[in-house]
Amino acid sequence: MMVESASETIRSAPSGQNGVGSLSGQTDGSSGGAKGTTASGTGRDMTTGADSNGEMSPAELLHFQQQQALQVARQFLLQQASGLSSPGNNDSKQSASAVQVPVSVAMMSPQMLTPQQMQQILSPPQLAGVVVGIALQEYYKKQQEQLHLQLLTQQQAGKPQPKEALGNKQLAFQQQLLQMQQLQQQHLLNLQRQGLVSLQPNQASGPLQTLPQAAVCPTDLPQLWKGEGAPGQPAEDSVKQEGLDLTGTAATATSFAAPPKVSPPLSHHTLPNGQPTVLTSRRDSSSHEETPGSHPLYGHGECKWPGCETLCEDLGQFIKHLNTEHALDDRSTAQCRVQMQVVQQLEIQLAKESERLQAMMAHLHMRPSEPKPFSQPLNPVPGSSSFSKVTVSAADSFPDGLVHPPTSAAAPVTPLRPPGLGSASLHGGGPARRRSSDKFCSPISSELAQNHEFYKNADVRPPFTYASLIRQAILETPDRQLTLNEIYNWFTRMFAYFRRNTATWKNAVRHNLSLHKCFVRVENVKGAVWTVDEREYQKRRPPKMTGSPTLVKNMISGLSYGALNASYQAALAESSFPLLNSPGMLNPGSASSLLPLSHDDVGAPVEPLPSNGSSSPPRLSPPQYSHQVQVKEEPAEAEEDRQPGPPLGTPNPSASGPPEDRDLEEELPGEELS
DNA sequence: AGGAAGGTAAACATGA
DNA sequence: TTCATGTTTACCTTCC
């Protein structure tokens, strides 16, 4: 049975059922890998093209390459001089894989690293050395290729070139290469000393191979792109990547270059559901600023070609400039290759990060103490007990009121339990059925408002009961009514968790709708819609009064709704004000929905309800549904509910309660009390 | 230990 | 017939 449900989930999810088809690809990471492969292949193609499409004469080419080599060497020496060892020696533990830097930090951090934080980690000055190493490697290879090309060209073309001249040049070039090799080795040793590289004997000749995950710091790329230019430029300036705008096509993938334009490096590559878009995202990111009359390499009146910045008045001029200055030549090709390498590195890193994200999310689906084997993160077994025990205490509002859940990296943010909430957050090893918000203080609307993005992206089961979720879904709508399918859609829209196991939770939703009296089915012209009877909902579950269960019980059984309502407020005053004051409460969606609700549910008990007689729908919450409300009518209970006159002097918000009070009232329901 | 609440599964009915 | 919707029951787990 479970298997069937799971398979159904798998089938139904991509089918777009209930309008969630757009989410179907969220967990499919294969595309990224495929694209990555494509990128690699393209890179090789480009390399080949560079070799075969050279238009410069060998002498020019050699000169050009030498200039580049010198420039790179200069930068390298600068890096050496400025000291790659940056502030934290602890960084020396960031070994071979620079990716491990965010890994360790992220894992140790109580909160997930934001892309900005990752950026800070990935692009500190010490990483410049890595980049220089890559640059050296790149240009070293290129020099070799060009040298080989030169030789081939000369042999085939049979150009009558003085052997001596060529020999001298080759000699000088080879010396240069030798120098570069030495620099490479020196650089490698330097990196090794600092722990940036774990040197392996067979890789000593190629730093790049030792840095497969090295985070290419694009801030250094301009140095490469500008390598042949401004030879007299002070080295310091070359490090500053001054004025470089990397927001063009090439740099959008690495747009975390210049500080003012700092943007999360991964955010551009991560869909809201957390899936990397890899290459497509590069296109997207480059095209996002593309307008019908623009060009991805043209923006803000200047050429966005890496290291160019040539001012162009209009697009036409730019096109002309592009065709003249950035035609297909070795230089452009080399720049492309550099850029591709950057992209490749980022893709590798992205793949690593995505993998880590999956592992983290999978981990979060298991309780830490859960000895069960690692379950399939992307397709949890529906109905399994382990699945039910997912409850990461995401309901716990973060004390700082921040929305910790990420907006870009698909919420690896672990909803870590705020220390201050103590056991309430744990709710005792909480299986999902003990939704924290149901029994404790976190209001669902507040919680959802605060962690909306998190639940939207992270495959974490929301710590709310189905009933509270359904209620929230209904209350969020202006009309306070939803069809079943709309409720489904709300679930899938709001919670990544509910984008799978559709058969399970949909059944649960229907079950809850039918089971709980607080959900009223209203026959509409179009069909049936579901509304919420707040009174029933609040009556449904008693507030968990701290320290006095008996009191609660007495209240439930003996007091009228008004008294209960008063107790709600008392409890609220004690426990929930901080939460209610949280920014989440000001969420427009929830707030807008709260006001009328308060009017409805709070006012109802005090109003002379029986005006409609006992036959009237007792749980007719929304006034607009004065028409036929049917189903699930419990006249007896309704009569009970209608015992007017809150004896305990319940504040009657329906009379003249300020909106704030109404909001508070709305948040009063038992589930939101502690 | 037992009840309450909630989650899950399933059977069944109904209507489009 | 199939599917969505709705109802109901049963069983389970967890908490109190």
Side-chain angles (χ1 to χ4, degrees):
Chain A
M1 187 56 72
M2 293 179 183
V3 176
E4 291 179 3
S5 299
S7 61
E8 177 179 344
T9 300
I10 295 175
R11 288 194 307 270
S12 61
S15 67
Q17 184 181 10
N18 299 320
V20 294
S22 60
L23 303 166
S24 60
Q26 63 164 339
T27 57
D28 187 359
S30 60
S31 59
K35 289 168 182 173
T37 305
T38 303
S40 300
T42 309
R44 284 189 291 273
D45 293 340
M46 291 297 292
T47 302
T48 306
D51 292 342
S52 58
N53 291 325
E55 294 177 355
M56 304 171 74
S57 69
E60 291 172 335
L61 202 57
L62 184 60
H63 179 71
F64 171 59
Q65 297 299 331
Q66 286 173 341
Q67 290 292 333
Q68 286 182 324
L70 286 173
Q71 180 68 16
V72 170
R74 246 197 312 270
Q75 292 171 4
F76 167 68
L77 292 175
L78 170 70
Q79 296 294 336
Q80 296 287 314
S82 62
L84 285 171
S85 58
S86 57
N89 283 341
N90 293 336
D91 292 343
S92 61
K93 296 216 168 187
Q94 305 160 0
S95 58
S97 156
V99 180
Q100 288 182 0
V101 176
V103 179
S104 57
V105 175
M107 287 307 190
M108 293 167 59
S109 172
Q111 296 173 4
M112 185 59 186
L113 279 174
T114 65
Q116 287 83 0
Q117 289 172 318
M118 293 185 66
Q119 169 190 338
Q120 291 174 356
I121 293 173
L122 290 178
S123 57
Q126 66 263 30
L127 285 183
V130 177
V131 177
V132 172
I134 295 172
L136 285 171
Q137 173 76 9
E138 173 71 16
Y139 280 89
Y140 174 71
K141 282 162 48 181
K142 184 174 180 187
Q143 303 265 355
Q144 288 180 318
E145 293 169 1
Q146 295 300 334
L147 181 59
H148 189 65
L149 176 65
Q150 275 183 278
L151 295 174
L152 280 179
T153 305
Q154 290 164 11
Q155 286 175 359
Q156 292 175 358
K159 284 187 179 178
Q161 187 151 1
K163 274 189 177 181
E164 292 180 0
L166 181 60
N168 289 338
K169 284 187 177 181
Q170 287 182 353
L171 188 62
F173 183 47
Q174 285 176 348
Q175 287 175 349
Q176 193 119 39
L177 291 181
L178 203 60
Q179 263 186 322
M180 290 183 64
Q181 281 182 317
Q182 292 172 352
L183 288 173
Q184 272 187 306
Q185 292 178 359
Q186 184 181 352
H187 177 235
L188 186 62
L189 289 175
N190 197 331
L191 292 178
Q192 188 187 6
R193 261 197 305 274
Q194 302 172 44
L196 288 173
V197 172
S198 63
L199 182 60
Q200 298 176 14
N202 59 342
Q203 293 176 330
S205 62
L208 187 60
Q209 280 78 13
T210 65
L211 296 170
Q213 316 299 331
V216 175
C217 179
T219 58
D220 294 296
L221 290 173
Q223 303 170 28
L224 304 181
W225 291 318
K226 283 188 166 181
E228 79 285 0
Q233 185 183 17
E236 290 81 5
D237 291 343
S238 64
V239 181
K240 291 179 184 173
Q241 358 97 31
E242 54 179 49
L244 277 171
D245 189 349
L246 298 181
T247 56
T249 301
T252 35
T254 60
S255 60
F256 48 100
K261 300 186 178 181
V262 160
S263 62
L266 293 178
S267 62
H268 289 177
H269 306 271
T270 310
L271 293 174
N273 56 20
Q275 288 306 307
T277 56
V278 195
L279 279 185
T280 52
S281 70
R282 186 156 52 107
R283 293 187 180 192
D284 293 342
S285 60
S286 62
S287 62
H288 75 279
E289 62 183 27
E290 196 171 1
T291 56
S294 69
H295 189 282
L297 286 174
Y298 178 66
H300 303 294
E302 63 182 20
C303 175
K304 298 293 184 182
W305 188 276
C308 179
E309 300 178 46
T310 300
L311 295 176
C312 302
E313 292 178 359
D314 54 14
L315 190 62
Q317 186 178 350
F318 163 73
I319 294 295
K320 191 176 180 180
H321 159 80
L322 195 64
N323 291 330
T324 56
E325 298 296 322
H326 306 300
L328 180 59
D329 56 12
D330 280 317
R331 178 185 167 191
S332 300
T333 306
Q335 290 170 331
C336 269
R337 289 175 57 198
V338 171
Q339 178 64 24
M340 291 172 72
Q341 185 133 7
V342 171
V343 173
Q344 278 183 304
Q345 295 294 333
L346 289 173
E347 286 170 354
I348 292 171
Q349 186 178 342
L350 177 61
K352 289 277 183 182
E353 296 298 327
S354 298
E355 189 178 357
R356 184 183 310 132
L357 168 64
Q358 293 298 331
M360 291 171 70
M361 293 177 67
H363 168 72
L364 292 180
H365 294 165
M366 304 290 292
R367 293 201 58 79
S369 59
E370 192 76 24
K372 293 187 178 182
F374 201 75
S375 66
Q376 172 54 256
L378 295 183
N379 188 22
V381 179
S384 65
S385 60
S386 63
F387 200 41
S388 299
K389 294 180 180 178
V390 161
T391 309
V392 182
S393 54
D396 304 329
S397 302
F398 290 94
D400 54 2
L402 296 177
V403 180
H404 293 294
T407 55
S408 61
V413 167
T414 63
L416 293 172
R417 180 175 56 258
L421 291 186
S423 62
S425 308
L426 288 171
H427 35 90
R433 62 179 53 97
R434 287 294 181 229
R435 305 299 178 203
S436 60
S437 70
D438 285 7
K439 289 293 183 183
F440 301 96
C441 58
S442 177
I444 182 173
S445 57
S446 174
E447 161 66 19
L448 280 181
Q450 289 186 5
N451 297 325
H452 169 263
E453 286 297 323
F454 173 74
Y455 294 124
K456 201 172 178 180
N457 297 321
D459 189 14
V460 172
R461 180 172 189 138
F464 311 109
T465 62
Y466 282 111
S468 56
L469 287 174
I470 295 168
R471 169 178 168 267
Q472 183 66 22
I474 294 173
L475 296 186
E476 279 189 4
T477 63
D479 296 338
R480 305 188 172 286
Q481 60 175 356
L482 281 178
T483 65
L484 179 63
N485 197 48
E486 288 170 338
I487 294 174
Y488 289 162
N489 291 336
W490 185 87
F491 271 67
T492 53
R493 187 177 65 249
M494 298 292 290
F495 304 98
Y497 175 85
F498 291 121
R499 288 164 200 160
R500 35 183 135 264
N501 314 318
T502 56
T504 299
W505 67 261
K506 284 181 177 177
N507 184 30
V509 167
R510 293 193 303 271
H511 166 73
N512 276 265
L513 284 172
S514 296
L515 186 66
H516 298 304
K517 301 168 187 173
C518 57
F519 299 118
V520 182
R521 184 174 177 271
V522 178
E523 283 292 341
N524 213 347
V525 179
K526 306 173 186 174
V529 294
W530 289 93
T531 63
V532 179
D533 184 343
E534 276 299 315
R535 287 185 300 141
E536 278 295 330
Y537 184 84
Q538 296 176 8
K539 193 176 71 174
R540 180 174 60 93
R541 287 204 319 272
K544 182 176 178 292
M545 303 296 287
T546 53
S548 63
T550 53
L551 170 62
V552 174
K553 219 166 191 177
N554 292 337
M555 288 167 54
I556 304 308
S557 57
L559 297 181
S560 67
Y561 171 78
L564 198 60
N565 203 13
S567 66
Y568 282 145
Q569 284 204 345
L572 175 72
E574 292 178 0
S575 60
S576 295
F577 266 119
L579 287 168
L580 293 174
N581 290 333
S582 66
M585 289 303 298
L586 299 179
N587 177 278
S590 57
S592 63
S593 65
L594 298 185
L595 293 179
L597 166 70
S598 313
H599 179 272
D600 289 341
D601 65 339
V602 177
V606 197
E607 289 171 359
L609 289 173
S611 59
N612 290 342
S614 60
S615 61
S616 66
R619 282 169 279 111
L620 179 61
S621 3
Q624 62 265 35
Y625 303 133
S626 56
H627 53 285
Q628 36 180 331
V629 176
Q630 54 181 21
V631 191
K632 295 197 309 183
E633 299 185 7
E634 290 95 12
E637 286 192 19
E639 292 298 330
E640 265 185 21
D641 293 343
R642 294 199 178 122
Q643 297 302 327
L648 297 188
T650 303
N652 184 2
S654 67
S656 60
E660 294 79 12
D661 291 347
R662 294 186 178 183
D663 277 355
L664 299 184
E665 287 289 341
E666 202 285 329
E667 295 302 332
L668 287 180
E671 66 162 354
E672 294 142 1
L673 292 175
S674 59

